[in-house]
Amino acid sequence: MAQVPQTFFDALAVRTWCGLALRALGRAREEIDAINVYPVADGDTGTNLYLTAESAAAAVEAVFEAHDAHGSGKPALADAARAMAHGALIGARGNSGTILAQLLRGMAQVLAADGETTHTDGEGLRLALRQAADSARQAVAHPVEGTVLTVASAAADAAGGADGDCGTVARAAYDGARAALAATPGQLAVLERAGVVDAGGRGLVAVLGALVETFTGEVPRAVPVMSDREYARVAGGTGTTSPAGSAEVLAAGPDECADAPGSGGPAFEVIYLLEADDTAVARLRQRLDGLGDSLVVVGGDGLWNVHVHVDDAGAAVEAGVEAGRPYRIRITHFGLGDVHTTGAERPPREPAQRAVVAVVPGEGLAGLYAEAGATTVLARPGEPPASGELVEAVRRAHAREVVLLPNDADLRHTAAAAAEQARTEGIRVALIPTRSAVQGIAALAVHEPERRFDEDVVQMTSAAGATRYAEVTVAERQSWTMAGICQAGDVLGLIDGDVAVIGSDVAVTAEAVLDRMLSAGGELVTLVLGDEAPETVADHLEARVRESYLAVDTVVYRGGRQGAVLLIGVE
């Protein structure tokens, strides 16, 4: 269906652009992954860009939904632009995703400069594209030409010379970026040897193509992914592909990346969000620059996304601890003898027969699940994972059969979408609708990989369904509940998702919740303590169970920063 063009850059245009960019990156993801040879030939640039854009789009949708819920109409341009930038920042993946996040942040700095403005015109878009390119270049420790930075600068230069409305400026930026992308193989030797254009730049062109569609309603023409030399070679008799190419002929061969920057380089990719002030981040940049390469630090206003390739992953994380509070830490080992460390093609790994993928609310539970053999996705309070993140985890599990545990009632639809996507890729996925991490623990406890898949899923589903779940948390605001009106600061006890107890003390409220749950019987109580839980609450509840409920066992786990003060399971 044709896109209805937007006249000005307002909040609705931001929303439309994010949606179209996500769709464009979804279509191009595999193609972009296939041409990913710089800075590391690990074939994930398209996926990382898609996940970053998905996080940005979700944040913008949340702003619109909040305004709809309060009946306040359409959000301001500043609100939508800031949400886009923040969503991209917290969801940024990999080198390319981190740079895309900074590009969007640079645009938001201009679009949100006047918080009362409802829209901007072609001139505002020109300024936003210029700020985006400049801020992204500043965020990279050692900028390299022939990359997405070159493409972004070319787009800003072309937009700067355009005179007209947003559609005219967007089309000029797209054409400038497209021309710069075609020239990247002549600027970076690794691209020329592989016969491809820069993968990150190709992704940016897709995003700018979505910007053109937003303001004109027209989809720009296709983008070549091969260098002119490679296209001439393929067209001359070794293949029959068109300039758009097919993924099968684009990936670099075993010898084509041997001398690429980064070959023989660091073995780990380290990414984390960081709460820190500007002075501390300046010191962090210097520290990390001495530890490794591919350093990109983006963000501002106290929140940053840090990306670096290092040999000592622990030192990179410790540097973040010294600078502020790092979280959402992701460490990826490129692997001994892979394309990063030797320039050789990574040998194919035989898929496992079965794996479990679980969403968990805290680092402690992530460790517990991982020890049990599960692949985990960490969900921060207020930051639920997107479907693309769950699909990525399913792929990372590298199994023919996957059991997916969302561990949150609100993630049911997200998990279902991820399962459906994974099935299209030939993976057999069973979604068990666990509504709490304690139900996931019960399911994982009876998991037997040697059992027939259907039987295993039935047993895990039965164990999860037989586990009642509760949580103890602190109210953030006054509200109506099933148990009456609560005030900000009250301690709430929720059983199976509904508020059942309102109190003022964590231990007393938790005891009341536990008594209600055990009144219907039970054999095992699981307690998962959050960082905010009082030190004595576990001992208090264990004693209560021991004294009042014969033949009921209790196990205690540390959940870390899990949002709830306490999670309780009874089975």
Side-chain angles (χ1 to χ4, degrees):
M1 183 168 59
Q3 172 65 36
V4 178
Q6 303 293 313
T7 305
F8 296 104
F9 210 147
D10 59 4
L12 183 58
V14 172
R15 184 189 202 182
T16 301
W17 180 34
C18 286
L20 291 174
L22 183 62
R23 189 171 70 184
L25 288 170
R27 289 194 302 262
R29 180 183 62 80
E30 292 184 359
E31 171 193 287
I32 297 172
D33 282 346
I35 63 172
N36 172 201
V37 297
Y38 181 86
V40 181
D42 50 357
D44 63 358
T45 291
T47 299
N48 288 336
L49 288 170
Y50 179 85
L51 292 173
T52 304
E54 185 179 46
S55 183
V60 174
E61 284 299 319
V63 169
F64 272 83
E65 289 172 4
H67 277 73
D68 287 343
H70 291 89
S72 53
K74 186 175 67 175
L77 171 61
D79 294 335
R82 290 193 188 104
M84 172 183 69
H86 180 73
L89 179 68
I90 64 174
R93 293 301 190 92
N95 188 73
S96 55
T98 307
I99 292 174
L100 176 61
Q102 188 66 2
L103 287 166
L104 297 181
R105 176 179 170 80
M107 292 190 70
Q109 288 173 331
V110 173
L111 299 176
D114 184 352
E116 302 302 317
T117 300
T118 59
H119 66 269
T120 191
D121 54 13
E123 174 61 22
L125 180 55
R126 282 194 293 271
L127 294 174
L129 290 168
R130 181 77 270 164
Q131 177 65 17
D134 292 346
S135 62
R137 190 171 286 270
Q138 292 165 7
V140 177
H142 302 286
V144 174
E145 297 306 324
T147 65
V148 62
L149 299 177
T150 305
V151 176
S153 294
D157 292 343
D163 185 17
D165 59 13
C166 287
T168 302
V169 173
R171 189 175 294 280
Y174 175 80
D175 290 341
R178 193 175 188 276
L181 177 66
T184 55
Q187 297 173 292
L188 203 53
V190 62
L191 301 179
E192 180 63 22
R193 284 193 297 271
V196 296
V197 297
D198 178 66
R202 169 65 182 90
L204 178 58
V205 170
V207 171
L208 292 173
L211 189 64
V212 173
E213 188 177 357
T214 298
F215 292 114
T216 69
E218 301 173 3
V219 180
R221 62 189 185 277
V223 180
V225 293
M226 287 184 287
S227 67
D228 291 340
R229 175 185 65 80
E230 184 68 6
Y231 176 54
R233 182 185 70 79
V234 173
T238 58
T240 57
T241 189
S242 66
S246 65
E248 286 74 20
V249 301
L250 297 175
D255 300 321
E256 291 170 329
C257 306
D259 298 324
S263 293
F268 294 95
E269 178 184 60
V270 178
I271 304 174
Y272 49 80
L273 290 177
L274 176 70
E275 294 178 356
D277 59 37
D278 292 2
T279 303
V281 170
R283 292 194 298 269
L284 175 65
R285 288 180 191 268
Q286 293 181 343
R287 174 82 181 278
L288 293 179
D289 196 25
L291 288 175
D293 59 29
S294 296
L295 173 61
V296 186
V297 181
V298 305
D301 301 321
L303 180 63
W304 309 81
N305 192 304
V306 179
H307 170 280
V308 67
H309 295 172
V310 293
D311 278 324
D312 189 344
V317 175
E318 289 172 7
V321 173
E322 293 175 4
R325 186 178 80 87
Y327 61 101
R328 272 199 173 185
I329 300 167
R330 300 186 185 96
I331 299 174
T332 302
H333 185 208
F334 291 119
L336 298 176
D338 72 1
V339 291
H340 191 288
T341 55
T342 69
E345 186 175 291
R346 182 181 297 151
R349 179 164 59 99
E350 182 68 19
Q353 182 60 35
R354 190 173 308 160
V356 176
V357 173
V359 180
V360 289
E363 297 92 338
L365 280 180
L368 174 68
Y369 273 73
E371 287 176 8
T375 297
T376 61
V377 177
L378 190 60
R380 291 287 177 186
E383 299 175 6
S387 62
E389 193 168 357
L390 298 186
V391 173
E392 183 191 36
V394 171
R395 295 187 187 117
R396 193 168 70 244
H398 200 59
R400 299 181 182 89
E401 302 166 340
V402 172
V403 179
L404 181 57
L405 306 175
N407 291 340
D408 186 335
D410 292 336
L411 286 178
R412 180 166 57 92
H413 296 299
T414 300
E420 188 60 32
Q421 173 61 37
R423 291 182 189 118
T424 66
E425 300 177 9
I427 305 171
R428 189 180 183 189
V429 181
L431 171 61
I432 297 179
T434 49
R435 294 174 289 175
S436 170
V438 291
Q439 288 189 322
I441 291 173
L444 201 55
V446 300
H447 168 55
E448 291 185 14
E450 284 69 39
R451 203 160 36 194
R452 285 181 57 247
F453 185 61
D454 291 340
E455 292 178 0
D456 198 27
V457 171
V458 167
Q459 291 300 319
M460 294 178 72
T461 302
S462 177
T467 302
R468 299 191 70 194
Y469 65 96
E471 67 177 80
V472 176
T473 188
V474 178
E476 296 182 354
R477 63 184 68 86
Q478 183 189 62
S479 62
W480 291 86
T481 76
M482 297 288 289
I485 300 175
C486 72
Q487 305 295 327
D490 283 349
V491 180
L492 306 180
L494 292 83
I495 299 177
D496 294 340
D498 293 323
V499 176
V501 180
I502 300 176
S504 57
D505 180 81
V506 170
V508 173
T509 302
E511 182 179 320
V513 168
L514 192 55
D515 284 341
R516 290 198 184 192
M517 297 178 76
L518 287 172
S519 64
E523 299 176 353
L524 177 65
V525 172
T526 300
L527 304 175
V528 183
L529 306 178
D531 281 349
E532 305 302 319
E535 289 293 328
T536 58
V537 69
D539 291 339
H540 176 79
L541 295 177
E542 283 187 288
R544 173 66 177 173
V545 172
R546 188 169 52 250
E547 294 167 4
S548 303
Y549 303 95
L550 298 178
V552 177
D553 294 326
T554 305
V555 293
V556 180
Y557 302 110
R558 294 283 175 178
R561 293 189 294 272
Q562 63 184 21
V565 176
L566 175 68
L567 300 178
I568 303 173
V570 174
E571 54 185 296

